[in-house]
Amino acid sequence: MELQRILFVICVNNDSLYQQTKRQVANLIVPPGYSVGIYDIRNAHSMASGYNYAVSMEAAFKIYIHQDTFLIHRGMLIDLLQLFHCHPALGMVGLAGCVDMPTNGIWWEGTKLAGQVIEHRRDTYQLLRFDHGWHEKSDYIAVQAIDGLFMATKVDIPWREDLFDGFHFYDSSHSMEMQRAGHVVGVPVLQSPWCIHYNGEDFDRLRYEHYRKIFVQHYMS
């Protein structure tokens, strides 16, 4: 029997982080009937353009993660595939996102946030837990946008590199494109976090604002 493929897609510009991420992926439990591969993209001009290299590759599921997203729940793939199989309308799953996108396009400033992630910043670890009990009877929360640290897809839709030729808002854009194509975007309701995200200190506010305006104009107006 031919195994179905789960493909991790990672844009890489830091080999030390990438090697650690590879070790975390190798430590995951692989569901029966599946194989796991990693596709690393070097010298990408943007996240969207880099990810578009993977769109045409054959895989039952693709998981787009940052090179600094370390997966700590060994049974993550089993839980993720069960979620997709139980909810056929789900096209993409993330680990943090917003139910209602605010008019400024900044997802984490929304009124209802979902998900949980351990964040590492300035040598400290902090559990960011956005869901506070209002979803208790569901195994996932339908959202308008997810964060790009982890984006698992079961359908292939081109990433909008024509609009987002940098490293901001590609994730919110893809969330919107998924929904325009008729798919649900969701965040699982977790008992414990699946990953640690090592946040860097670099943040280009001018470029962020540039892409925020493009996002608002294209999706929020």
Side-chain angles (χ1 to χ4, degrees), residues 43-77:
N43 304 313
H45 297 296
S46 68
M47 293 297 279
S49 65
Y51 286 169
N52 269 333
Y53 285 113
V55 166
S56 62
M57 300 182 74
E58 286 194 17
F61 300 93
K62 294 182 180 127
I63 304 175
Y64 300 83
I65 62 172
H66 289 177
Q67 63 184 355
D68 55 4
T69 296
F70 298 161
L71 303 170
I72 57 174
H73 172 40
R74 292 194 66 223
M76 183 212 80
L77 293 177

PDB file of all heavy atoms in Angstrom, residues 43-77:
ATOM      1  N   ASN A  43      16.639  31.152   0.275  1.00  0.00           N
ATOM      2  CA  ASN A  43      16.712  32.410  -0.491  1.00  0.00           C
ATOM      3  C   ASN A  43      15.367  32.844  -1.062  1.00  0.00           C
ATOM      4  O   ASN A  43      15.298  33.389  -2.164  1.00  0.00           O
ATOM      5  CB  ASN A  43      17.743  32.280  -1.626  1.00  0.00           C
ATOM      6  CG  ASN A  43      19.113  31.886  -1.126  1.00  0.00           C
ATOM      7  OD1 ASN A  43      19.617  32.461  -0.170  1.00  0.00           O
ATOM      8  ND2 ASN A  43      19.717  30.897  -1.765  1.00  0.00           N
ATOM      9  N   ALA A  44      14.301  32.603  -0.304  1.00  0.00           N
ATOM     10  CA  ALA A  44      12.979  33.032  -0.762  1.00  0.00           C
ATOM     11  C   ALA A  44      12.885  34.556  -0.716  1.00  0.00           C
ATOM     12  O   ALA A  44      13.319  35.190   0.255  1.00  0.00           O
ATOM     13  CB  ALA A  44      11.895  32.420   0.109  1.00  0.00           C
ATOM     14  N   HIS A  45      12.325  35.145  -1.766  1.00  0.00           N
ATOM     15  CA  HIS A  45      12.148  36.599  -1.795  1.00  0.00           C
ATOM     16  C   HIS A  45      11.020  37.036  -0.875  1.00  0.00           C
ATOM     17  O   HIS A  45      10.964  38.185  -0.436  1.00  0.00           O
ATOM     18  CB  HIS A  45      11.870  37.060  -3.221  1.00  0.00           C
ATOM     19  CG  HIS A  45      12.999  36.804  -4.167  1.00  0.00           C
ATOM     20  ND1 HIS A  45      14.232  37.401  -4.031  1.00  0.00           N
ATOM     21  CD2 HIS A  45      13.089  35.991  -5.259  1.00  0.00           C
ATOM     22  CE1 HIS A  45      15.034  36.983  -4.997  1.00  0.00           C
ATOM     23  NE2 HIS A  45      14.364  36.118  -5.753  1.00  0.00           N
ATOM     24  N   SER A  46      10.100  36.125  -0.595  1.00  0.00           N
ATOM     25  CA  SER A  46       8.980  36.394   0.311  1.00  0.00           C
ATOM     26  C   SER A  46       8.451  35.067   0.804  1.00  0.00           C
ATOM     27  O   SER A  46       8.746  34.012   0.222  1.00  0.00           O
ATOM     28  CB  SER A  46       7.879  37.177  -0.410  1.00  0.00           C
ATOM     29  OG  SER A  46       7.266  36.368  -1.401  1.00  0.00           O
ATOM     30  N   MET A  47       7.659  35.089   1.866  1.00  0.00           N
ATOM     31  CA  MET A  47       7.059  33.849   2.346  1.00  0.00           C
ATOM     32  C   MET A  47       6.112  33.273   1.309  1.00  0.00           C
ATOM     33  O   MET A  47       6.109  32.066   1.043  1.00  0.00           O
ATOM     34  CB  MET A  47       6.314  34.100   3.664  1.00  0.00           C
ATOM     35  CG  MET A  47       7.216  34.471   4.824  1.00  0.00           C
ATOM     36  SD  MET A  47       8.389  33.176   5.293  1.00  0.00           S
ATOM     37  CE  MET A  47       7.354  32.136   6.297  1.00  0.00           C
ATOM     38  N   ALA A  48       5.290  34.132   0.707  1.00  0.00           N
ATOM     39  CA  ALA A  48       4.309  33.651  -0.265  1.00  0.00           C
ATOM     40  C   ALA A  48       4.985  33.026  -1.482  1.00  0.00           C
ATOM     41  O   ALA A  48       4.577  31.964  -1.959  1.00  0.00           O
ATOM     42  CB  ALA A  48       3.389  34.785  -0.687  1.00  0.00           C
ATOM     43  N   SER A  49       6.027  33.672  -1.993  1.00  0.00           N
ATOM     44  CA  SER A  49       6.718  33.122  -3.167  1.00  0.00           C
ATOM     45  C   SER A  49       7.421  31.820  -2.817  1.00  0.00           C
ATOM     46  O   SER A  49       7.440  30.875  -3.619  1.00  0.00           O
ATOM     47  CB  SER A  49       7.711  34.138  -3.733  1.00  0.00           C
ATOM     48  OG  SER A  49       8.761  34.399  -2.823  1.00  0.00           O
ATOM     49  N   GLY A  50       7.995  31.756  -1.617  1.00  0.00           N
ATOM     50  CA  GLY A  50       8.633  30.518  -1.185  1.00  0.00           C
ATOM     51  C   GLY A  50       7.632  29.381  -1.062  1.00  0.00           C
ATOM     52  O   GLY A  50       7.848  28.279  -1.566  1.00  0.00           O
ATOM     53  N   TYR A  51       6.513  29.659  -0.418  1.00  0.00           N
ATOM     54  CA  TYR A  51       5.497  28.632  -0.218  1.00  0.00           C
ATOM     55  C   TYR A  51       4.870  28.188  -1.532  1.00  0.00           C
ATOM     56  O   TYR A  51       4.421  27.038  -1.652  1.00  0.00           O
ATOM     57  CB  TYR A  51       4.427  29.132   0.734  1.00  0.00           C
ATOM     58  CG  TYR A  51       4.853  29.187   2.194  1.00  0.00           C
ATOM     59  CD1 TYR A  51       4.066  29.823   3.147  1.00  0.00           C
ATOM     60  CD2 TYR A  51       6.037  28.600   2.624  1.00  0.00           C
ATOM     61  CE1 TYR A  51       4.435  29.863   4.483  1.00  0.00           C
ATOM     62  CE2 TYR A  51       6.422  28.642   3.950  1.00  0.00           C
ATOM     63  CZ  TYR A  51       5.617  29.271   4.878  1.00  0.00           C
ATOM     64  OH  TYR A  51       5.991  29.315   6.203  1.00  0.00           O
ATOM     65  N   ASN A  52       4.835  29.070  -2.513  1.00  0.00           N
ATOM     66  CA  ASN A  52       4.247  28.679  -3.799  1.00  0.00           C
ATOM     67  C   ASN A  52       5.045  27.580  -4.494  1.00  0.00           C
ATOM     68  O   ASN A  52       4.502  26.859  -5.338  1.00  0.00           O
ATOM     69  CB  ASN A  52       4.103  29.894  -4.716  1.00  0.00           C
ATOM     70  CG  ASN A  52       2.759  30.583  -4.555  1.00  0.00           C
ATOM     71  OD1 ASN A  52       1.770  29.958  -4.186  1.00  0.00           O
ATOM     72  ND2 ASN A  52       2.712  31.868  -4.840  1.00  0.00           N
ATOM     73  N   TYR A  53       6.337  27.427  -4.158  1.00  0.00           N
ATOM     74  CA  TYR A  53       7.107  26.321  -4.719  1.00  0.00           C
ATOM     75  C   TYR A  53       6.525  24.972  -4.289  1.00  0.00           C
ATOM     76  O   TYR A  53       6.674  23.973  -4.992  1.00  0.00           O
ATOM     77  CB  TYR A  53       8.569  26.396  -4.268  1.00  0.00           C
ATOM     78  CG  TYR A  53       9.381  27.465  -4.959  1.00  0.00           C
ATOM     79  CD1 TYR A  53       9.861  28.559  -4.249  1.00  0.00           C
ATOM     80  CD2 TYR A  53       9.672  27.382  -6.325  1.00  0.00           C
ATOM     81  CE1 TYR A  53      10.607  29.544  -4.876  1.00  0.00           C
ATOM     82  CE2 TYR A  53      10.419  28.366  -6.961  1.00  0.00           C
ATOM     83  CZ  TYR A  53      10.887  29.443  -6.233  1.00  0.00           C
ATOM     84  OH  TYR A  53      11.628  30.431  -6.859  1.00  0.00           O
ATOM     85  N   ALA A  54       5.890  24.955  -3.119  1.00  0.00           N
ATOM     86  CA  ALA A  54       5.388  23.687  -2.578  1.00  0.00           C
ATOM     87  C   ALA A  54       3.968  23.371  -3.006  1.00  0.00           C
ATOM     88  O   ALA A  54       3.516  22.227  -2.865  1.00  0.00           O
ATOM     89  CB  ALA A  54       5.457  23.712  -1.054  1.00  0.00           C
ATOM     90  N   VAL A  55       3.248  24.354  -3.517  1.00  0.00           N
ATOM     91  CA  VAL A  55       1.823  24.162  -3.813  1.00  0.00           C
ATOM     92  C   VAL A  55       1.596  23.008  -4.782  1.00  0.00           C
ATOM     93  O   VAL A  55       0.644  22.223  -4.626  1.00  0.00           O
ATOM     94  CB  VAL A  55       1.204  25.475  -4.354  1.00  0.00           C
ATOM     95  CG1 VAL A  55      -0.156  25.214  -4.987  1.00  0.00           C
ATOM     96  CG2 VAL A  55       1.064  26.491  -3.230  1.00  0.00           C
ATOM     97  N   SER A  56       2.446  22.865  -5.788  1.00  0.00           N
ATOM     98  CA  SER A  56       2.244  21.831  -6.800  1.00  0.00           C
ATOM     99  C   SER A  56       2.813  20.471  -6.397  1.00  0.00           C
ATOM    100  O   SER A  56       2.638  19.486  -7.122  1.00  0.00           O
ATOM    101  CB  SER A  56       2.872  22.270  -8.131  1.00  0.00           C
ATOM    102  OG  SER A  56       4.268  22.447  -7.977  1.00  0.00           O
ATOM    103  N   MET A  57       3.483  20.396  -5.250  1.00  0.00           N
ATOM    104  CA  MET A  57       4.067  19.128  -4.824  1.00  0.00           C
ATOM    105  C   MET A  57       2.974  18.212  -4.276  1.00  0.00           C
ATOM    106  O   MET A  57       2.023  18.666  -3.643  1.00  0.00           O
ATOM    107  CB  MET A  57       5.138  19.375  -3.762  1.00  0.00           C
ATOM    108  CG  MET A  57       6.276  20.260  -4.253  1.00  0.00           C
ATOM    109  SD  MET A  57       7.565  20.498  -3.019  1.00  0.00           S
ATOM    110  CE  MET A  57       8.364  18.892  -3.061  1.00  0.00           C
ATOM    111  N   GLU A  58       3.110  16.918  -4.531  1.00  0.00           N
ATOM    112  CA  GLU A  58       2.093  15.965  -4.106  1.00  0.00           C
ATOM    113  C   GLU A  58       2.231  15.654  -2.619  1.00  0.00           C
ATOM    114  O   GLU A  58       3.286  15.260  -2.137  1.00  0.00           O
ATOM    115  CB  GLU A  58       2.209  14.671  -4.917  1.00  0.00           C
ATOM    116  CG  GLU A  58       1.705  14.803  -6.350  1.00  0.00           C
ATOM    117  CD  GLU A  58       1.514  13.461  -7.018  1.00  0.00           C
ATOM    118  OE1 GLU A  58       1.452  12.444  -6.286  1.00  0.00           O
ATOM    119  OE2 GLU A  58       1.450  13.413  -8.247  1.00  0.00           O
ATOM    120  N   ALA A  59       1.136  15.858  -1.896  1.00  0.00           N
ATOM    121  CA  ALA A  59       1.073  15.521  -0.472  1.00  0.00           C
ATOM    122  C   ALA A  59      -0.390  15.577  -0.052  1.00  0.00           C
ATOM    123  O   ALA A  59      -1.151  16.429  -0.522  1.00  0.00           O
ATOM    124  CB  ALA A  59       1.905  16.480   0.363  1.00  0.00           C
ATOM    125  N   ALA A  60      -0.772  14.665   0.829  1.00  0.00           N
ATOM    126  CA  ALA A  60      -2.144  14.677   1.342  1.00  0.00           C
ATOM    127  C   ALA A  60      -2.362  15.890   2.236  1.00  0.00           C
ATOM    128  O   ALA A  60      -3.439  16.488   2.252  1.00  0.00           O
ATOM    129  CB  ALA A  60      -2.428  13.390   2.113  1.00  0.00           C
ATOM    130  N   PHE A  61      -1.320  16.260   2.981  1.00  0.00           N
ATOM    131  CA  PHE A  61      -1.373  17.419   3.859  1.00  0.00           C
ATOM    132  C   PHE A  61      -0.031  18.145   3.790  1.00  0.00           C
ATOM    133  O   PHE A  61       1.014  17.502   3.689  1.00  0.00           O
ATOM    134  CB  PHE A  61      -1.653  17.009   5.312  1.00  0.00           C
ATOM    135  CG  PHE A  61      -2.957  16.282   5.494  1.00  0.00           C
ATOM    136  CD1 PHE A  61      -3.004  14.900   5.459  1.00  0.00           C
ATOM    137  CD2 PHE A  61      -4.140  16.982   5.688  1.00  0.00           C
ATOM    138  CE1 PHE A  61      -4.201  14.221   5.618  1.00  0.00           C
ATOM    139  CE2 PHE A  61      -5.337  16.313   5.846  1.00  0.00           C
ATOM    140  CZ  PHE A  61      -5.372  14.934   5.807  1.00  0.00           C
ATOM    141  N   LYS A  62      -0.090  19.467   3.840  1.00  0.00           N
ATOM    142  CA  LYS A  62       1.127  20.278   3.903  1.00  0.00           C
ATOM    143  C   LYS A  62       1.070  21.132   5.159  1.00  0.00           C
ATOM    144  O   LYS A  62       0.015  21.704   5.475  1.00  0.00           O
ATOM    145  CB  LYS A  62       1.270  21.161   2.664  1.00  0.00           C
ATOM    146  CG  LYS A  62       1.485  20.361   1.401  1.00  0.00           C
ATOM    147  CD  LYS A  62       1.670  21.239   0.177  1.00  0.00           C
ATOM    148  CE  LYS A  62       1.880  20.336  -1.053  1.00  0.00           C
ATOM    149  NZ  LYS A  62       0.970  20.634  -2.133  1.00  0.00           N
ATOM    150  N   ILE A  63       2.163  21.185   5.867  1.00  0.00           N
ATOM    151  CA  ILE A  63       2.239  21.957   7.101  1.00  0.00           C
ATOM    152  C   ILE A  63       3.330  23.003   6.931  1.00  0.00           C
ATOM    153  O   ILE A  63       4.527  22.680   6.908  1.00  0.00           O
ATOM    154  CB  ILE A  63       2.518  21.057   8.316  1.00  0.00           C
ATOM    155  CG1 ILE A  63       1.444  19.964   8.417  1.00  0.00           C
ATOM    156  CG2 ILE A  63       2.555  21.889   9.598  1.00  0.00           C
ATOM    157  CD1 ILE A  63       1.698  18.945   9.523  1.00  0.00           C
ATOM    158  N   TYR A  64       2.925  24.247   6.780  1.00  0.00           N
ATOM    159  CA  TYR A  64       3.849  25.365   6.602  1.00  0.00           C
ATOM    160  C   TYR A  64       4.194  25.915   7.984  1.00  0.00           C
ATOM    161  O   TYR A  64       3.316  26.394   8.710  1.00  0.00           O
ATOM    162  CB  TYR A  64       3.205  26.459   5.748  1.00  0.00           C
ATOM    163  CG  TYR A  64       2.796  26.005   4.362  1.00  0.00           C
ATOM    164  CD1 TYR A  64       1.580  25.355   4.140  1.00  0.00           C
ATOM    165  CD2 TYR A  64       3.625  26.240   3.258  1.00  0.00           C
ATOM    166  CE1 TYR A  64       1.199  24.949   2.870  1.00  0.00           C
ATOM    167  CE2 TYR A  64       3.253  25.829   1.983  1.00  0.00           C
ATOM    168  CZ  TYR A  64       2.033  25.183   1.795  1.00  0.00           C
ATOM    169  OH  TYR A  64       1.655  24.781   0.536  1.00  0.00           O
ATOM    170  N   ILE A  65       5.466  25.814   8.377  1.00  0.00           N
ATOM    171  CA  ILE A  65       5.864  26.304   9.694  1.00  0.00           C
ATOM    172  C   ILE A  65       7.086  27.204   9.574  1.00  0.00           C
ATOM    173  O   ILE A  65       7.884  27.097   8.636  1.00  0.00           O
ATOM    174  CB  ILE A  65       6.158  25.160  10.684  1.00  0.00           C
ATOM    175  CG1 ILE A  65       7.321  24.288  10.204  1.00  0.00           C
ATOM    176  CG2 ILE A  65       4.917  24.325  10.940  1.00  0.00           C
ATOM    177  CD1 ILE A  65       7.769  23.262  11.250  1.00  0.00           C
ATOM    178  N   HIS A  66       7.225  28.100  10.548  1.00  0.00           N
ATOM    179  CA  HIS A  66       8.424  28.924  10.626  1.00  0.00           C
ATOM    180  C   HIS A  66       9.605  28.065  11.053  1.00  0.00           C
ATOM    181  O   HIS A  66       9.436  27.062  11.765  1.00  0.00           O
ATOM    182  CB  HIS A  66       8.230  30.053  11.641  1.00  0.00           C
ATOM    183  CG  HIS A  66       7.278  31.116  11.189  1.00  0.00           C
ATOM    184  ND1 HIS A  66       6.918  32.185  11.986  1.00  0.00           N
ATOM    185  CD2 HIS A  66       6.615  31.297  10.021  1.00  0.00           C
ATOM    186  CE1 HIS A  66       6.076  32.963  11.331  1.00  0.00           C
ATOM    187  NE2 HIS A  66       5.874  32.437  10.130  1.00  0.00           N
ATOM    188  N   GLN A  67      10.783  28.485  10.675  1.00  0.00           N
ATOM    189  CA  GLN A  67      11.988  27.750  11.066  1.00  0.00           C
ATOM    190  C   GLN A  67      12.234  27.806  12.574  1.00  0.00           C
ATOM    191  O   GLN A  67      13.030  27.024  13.105  1.00  0.00           O
ATOM    192  CB  GLN A  67      13.208  28.314  10.335  1.00  0.00           C
ATOM    193  CG  GLN A  67      13.511  29.761  10.693  1.00  0.00           C
ATOM    194  CD  GLN A  67      14.655  30.345   9.886  1.00  0.00           C
ATOM    195  OE1 GLN A  67      15.312  29.659   9.101  1.00  0.00           O
ATOM    196  NE2 GLN A  67      14.921  31.627  10.090  1.00  0.00           N
ATOM    197  N   ASP A  68      11.537  28.714  13.269  1.00  0.00           N
ATOM    198  CA  ASP A  68      11.684  28.829  14.722  1.00  0.00           C
ATOM    199  C   ASP A  68      10.441  28.339  15.460  1.00  0.00           C
ATOM    200  O   ASP A  68      10.204  28.717  16.610  1.00  0.00           O
ATOM    201  CB  ASP A  68      12.004  30.265  15.132  1.00  0.00           C
ATOM    202  CG  ASP A  68      10.985  31.284  14.620  1.00  0.00           C
ATOM    203  OD1 ASP A  68       9.981  30.870  14.015  1.00  0.00           O
ATOM    204  OD2 ASP A  68      11.216  32.495  14.818  1.00  0.00           O
ATOM    205  N   THR A  69       9.656  27.484  14.803  1.00  0.00           N
ATOM    206  CA  THR A  69       8.514  26.835  15.447  1.00  0.00           C
ATOM    207  C   THR A  69       8.911  25.406  15.791  1.00  0.00           C
ATOM    208  O   THR A  69       9.133  24.590  14.895  1.00  0.00           O
ATOM    209  CB  THR A  69       7.277  26.833  14.525  1.00  0.00           C
ATOM    210  OG1 THR A  69       6.864  28.178  14.298  1.00  0.00           O
ATOM    211  CG2 THR A  69       6.126  26.070  15.160  1.00  0.00           C
ATOM    212  N   PHE A  70       9.032  25.112  17.081  1.00  0.00           N
ATOM    213  CA  PHE A  70       9.470  23.790  17.522  1.00  0.00           C
ATOM    214  C   PHE A  70       8.274  23.009  18.055  1.00  0.00           C
ATOM    215  O   PHE A  70       7.604  23.430  18.993  1.00  0.00           O
ATOM    216  CB  PHE A  70      10.539  23.917  18.610  1.00  0.00           C
ATOM    217  CG  PHE A  70      11.798  24.625  18.147  1.00  0.00           C
ATOM    218  CD1 PHE A  70      12.678  25.167  19.058  1.00  0.00           C
ATOM    219  CD2 PHE A  70      12.095  24.752  16.793  1.00  0.00           C
ATOM    220  CE1 PHE A  70      13.833  25.809  18.639  1.00  0.00           C
ATOM    221  CE2 PHE A  70      13.241  25.393  16.360  1.00  0.00           C
ATOM    222  CZ  PHE A  70      14.116  25.926  17.288  1.00  0.00           C
ATOM    223  N   LEU A  71       8.014  21.864  17.436  1.00  0.00           N
ATOM    224  CA  LEU A  71       6.838  21.057  17.750  1.00  0.00           C
ATOM    225  C   LEU A  71       7.129  20.137  18.929  1.00  0.00           C
ATOM    226  O   LEU A  71       8.007  19.272  18.841  1.00  0.00           O
ATOM    227  CB  LEU A  71       6.426  20.255  16.522  1.00  0.00           C
ATOM    228  CG  LEU A  71       6.147  21.130  15.287  1.00  0.00           C
ATOM    229  CD1 LEU A  71       5.995  20.265  14.039  1.00  0.00           C
ATOM    230  CD2 LEU A  71       4.906  21.987  15.499  1.00  0.00           C
ATOM    231  N   ILE A  72       6.407  20.311  20.027  1.00  0.00           N
ATOM    232  CA  ILE A  72       6.724  19.610  21.269  1.00  0.00           C
ATOM    233  C   ILE A  72       5.710  18.533  21.639  1.00  0.00           C
ATOM    234  O   ILE A  72       5.931  17.771  22.576  1.00  0.00           O
ATOM    235  CB  ILE A  72       6.855  20.610  22.439  1.00  0.00           C
ATOM    236  CG1 ILE A  72       5.578  21.425  22.610  1.00  0.00           C
ATOM    237  CG2 ILE A  72       8.057  21.530  22.226  1.00  0.00           C
ATOM    238  CD1 ILE A  72       5.582  22.337  23.829  1.00  0.00           C
ATOM    239  N   HIS A  73       4.620  18.448  20.921  1.00  0.00           N
ATOM    240  CA  HIS A  73       3.605  17.412  21.185  1.00  0.00           C
ATOM    241  C   HIS A  73       3.810  16.283  20.185  1.00  0.00           C
ATOM    242  O   HIS A  73       3.492  16.422  18.994  1.00  0.00           O
ATOM    243  CB  HIS A  73       2.207  18.009  21.067  1.00  0.00           C
ATOM    244  CG  HIS A  73       1.106  17.000  21.120  1.00  0.00           C
ATOM    245  ND1 HIS A  73       1.120  15.925  21.979  1.00  0.00           N
ATOM    246  CD2 HIS A  73      -0.068  16.901  20.408  1.00  0.00           C
ATOM    247  CE1 HIS A  73       0.031  15.210  21.804  1.00  0.00           C
ATOM    248  NE2 HIS A  73      -0.704  15.769  20.860  1.00  0.00           N
ATOM    249  N   ARG A  74       4.332  15.136  20.636  1.00  0.00           N
ATOM    250  CA  ARG A  74       4.714  14.057  19.730  1.00  0.00           C
ATOM    251  C   ARG A  74       3.512  13.497  18.972  1.00  0.00           C
ATOM    252  O   ARG A  74       3.650  13.010  17.855  1.00  0.00           O
ATOM    253  CB  ARG A  74       5.403  12.924  20.494  1.00  0.00           C
ATOM    254  CG  ARG A  74       6.767  13.289  21.059  1.00  0.00           C
ATOM    255  CD  ARG A  74       7.519  12.045  21.479  1.00  0.00           C
ATOM    256  NE  ARG A  74       7.848  11.219  20.334  1.00  0.00           N
ATOM    257  CZ  ARG A  74       7.721   9.893  20.314  1.00  0.00           C
ATOM    258  NH1 ARG A  74       7.236   9.241  21.353  1.00  0.00           N
ATOM    259  NH2 ARG A  74       8.063   9.202  19.230  1.00  0.00           N
ATOM    260  N   GLY A  75       2.328  13.556  19.561  1.00  0.00           N
ATOM    261  CA  GLY A  75       1.136  13.026  18.904  1.00  0.00           C
ATOM    262  C   GLY A  75       0.403  14.043  18.056  1.00  0.00           C
ATOM    263  O   GLY A  75      -0.742  13.799  17.649  1.00  0.00           O
ATOM    264  N   MET A  76       1.049  15.148  17.753  1.00  0.00           N
ATOM    265  CA  MET A  76       0.411  16.240  17.029  1.00  0.00           C
ATOM    266  C   MET A  76      -0.190  15.803  15.699  1.00  0.00           C
ATOM    267  O   MET A  76      -1.308  16.176  15.356  1.00  0.00           O
ATOM    268  CB  MET A  76       1.430  17.358  16.782  1.00  0.00           C
ATOM    269  CG  MET A  76       0.875  18.584  16.097  1.00  0.00           C
ATOM    270  SD  MET A  76       2.111  19.377  15.061  1.00  0.00           S
ATOM    271  CE  MET A  76       2.065  18.347  13.605  1.00  0.00           C
ATOM    272  N   LEU A  77       0.545  15.018  14.928  1.00  0.00           N
ATOM    273  CA  LEU A  77       0.052  14.616  13.602  1.00  0.00           C
ATOM    274  C   LEU A  77      -1.197  13.757  13.715  1.00  0.00           C
ATOM    275  O   LEU A  77      -2.121  13.887  12.907  1.00  0.00           O
ATOM    276  CB  LEU A  77       1.144  13.880  12.828  1.00  0.00           C
ATOM    277  CG  LEU A  77       2.359  14.710  12.420  1.00  0.00           C
ATOM    278  CD1 LEU A  77       3.392  13.830  11.717  1.00  0.00           C
ATOM    279  CD2 LEU A  77       1.952  15.861  11.511  1.00  0.00           C
TER     280      LEU A  77
END
